[in-house]
Amino acid sequence: GAGVSQSPSNKVTEKGKDVELRCDPISGHTALYWYRQSLGQGLEFLIYFQGNSAPDKSGLPSDRFSAERTGGSVSTLTIQRTQQEDSAVYLCASSLGGLQTGELFFGEGSRLTVL
Amino acid sequence: KNQVEQSPQSLIILEGKNCTLQCNYTVSPFSNLRWYKQDTGRGPVSLTIMTFSENTKSNGRYTATLDADTKQSSLHITASQLSDSASYICVVSAGSGGYQKVTFGTGTKLQVIP
């Protein structure tokens, strides 16, 4: 596609429910990132996929968070047993791979509200 | 630990005035530094990229500088416009070869008022 596409754009869920957020990166981009941005805060790194390499999961805040990237393209971020502190905007970005000169292209984000 | 610090945290300026945003980083090995603009409710968009050998780069009314010795960068906005109101995020990449570690600053929130 023309840009990074994320869905849903907004999600309201009840505490304890599981949610899935989807990211469709720019075609041909081998690198994909998930970030979390709480209200008025900076971007918090969650996970990074680069080609067929093992993902960098160092930013995932707990084992309730997981992500996968199927076929090197679409990625899904799953949050199990959601908590109120999970409420944030979840941003996905993709790049051509390796950041020597590559720019991160961001989606518009998925706003998650946990009641 | 890689860190990127930005100042000021927030800034209000009058339309037409200039301003300068600062970014200090402790990232190694340095690869490149980008400034991103994030409008409210949108994803960040890249403004400039600077590599180790570059000191200054301009993009319209935006001019970024980089001092690799002191590990500082600045973003200067000239003749500000209301549409410049946004968060400006300094992003530093570390690493080499195929893997890069990206560290985001917490951003400077700029408000341009008429």
Side-chain angles (χ1 to χ4, degrees):
Chain A
V4 177
S5 178
Q6 292 188 245
S7 62
S9 54
N10 276 287
K11 176 72 176 179
V12 180
T13 190
E14 292 179 346
K15 178 181 172 181
K17 300 287 188 183
D18 297 351
V19 296
E20 282 190 353
L21 308 178
R22 176 188 166 106
C23 173
D24 199 344
I26 292 172
S27 178
H29 280 193
T30 60
L32 186 147
Y33 302 76
W34 281 99
Y35 291 89
R36 178 169 72 174
Q37 189 171 35
S38 301
L39 187 64
Q41 302 298 311
L43 274 73
E44 175 188 4
F45 168 75
L46 297 178
I47 189 170
Y48 164 52
F49 296 90
Q50 172 56 59
N52 296 322
S53 302
D56 177 353
K57 304 179 181 180
S58 60
L60 295 178
S62 78
D63 59 8
R64 296 187 295 104
F65 288 73
S66 63
E68 63 178 20
R69 190 179 183 191
T70 54
S73 180
V74 173
S75 177
T76 302
L77 177 69
T78 301
I79 309 172
Q80 295 178 312
R81 305 181 302 282
T82 52
Q83 303 294 312
Q84 288 183 331
E85 61 262 28
D86 299 335
S87 296
V89 176
Y90 290 82
L91 286 162
C92 174
S94 71
S95 74
L96 278 171
L99 285 171
Q100 211 69 28
T101 56
E103 174 183 348
L104 288 178
F105 291 84
F106 283 85
E108 296 299 323
S110 292
R111 181 177 298 277
L112 174 65
T113 303
V114 182
L115 302 177
Chain B
K1 180 183 177 182
N2 292 339
Q3 286 188 313
V4 177
E5 295 182 351
Q6 292 187 242
S7 62
Q9 196 171 39
S10 61
L11 183 62
I12 301 175
I13 62 173
L14 291 173
E15 184 180 11
K17 297 296 186 182
N18 304 336
C19 67
T20 300
L21 314 180
Q22 301 290 344
C23 174
N24 296 340
Y25 62 90
T26 54
V27 165
S28 181
F30 176 85
S31 176
N32 63 68
L33 183 149
R34 283 187 180 271
W35 283 92
Y36 282 79
K37 178 186 179 187
Q38 185 177 22
D39 293 312
T40 301
R42 309 296 296 274
V45 175
S46 178
L47 292 175
T48 67
I49 178 174
M50 305 196 70
T51 56
F52 187 85
S53 59
E54 295 174 305
N55 300 119
T56 303
K57 185 169 282 188
S58 292
N59 177 4
R61 294 180 296 101
Y62 300 102
T63 299
T65 66
L66 176 66
D67 186 332
D69 293 329
T70 60
K71 298 187 177 182
Q72 295 180 327
S73 176
S74 66
L75 180 69
H76 187 75
I77 304 175
T78 304
S80 61
Q81 301 177 358
L82 297 178
S83 59
D84 293 332
S85 296
S87 287
Y88 291 83
I89 307 169
C90 177
V91 182
V92 185
S93 296
S96 59
Y99 181 78
Q100 304 270 330
K101 182 75 174 181
V102 180
T103 304
F104 280 73
T106 53
T108 293
K109 185 163 185 148
L110 173 66
Q111 186 177 357
V112 181
I113 59 176

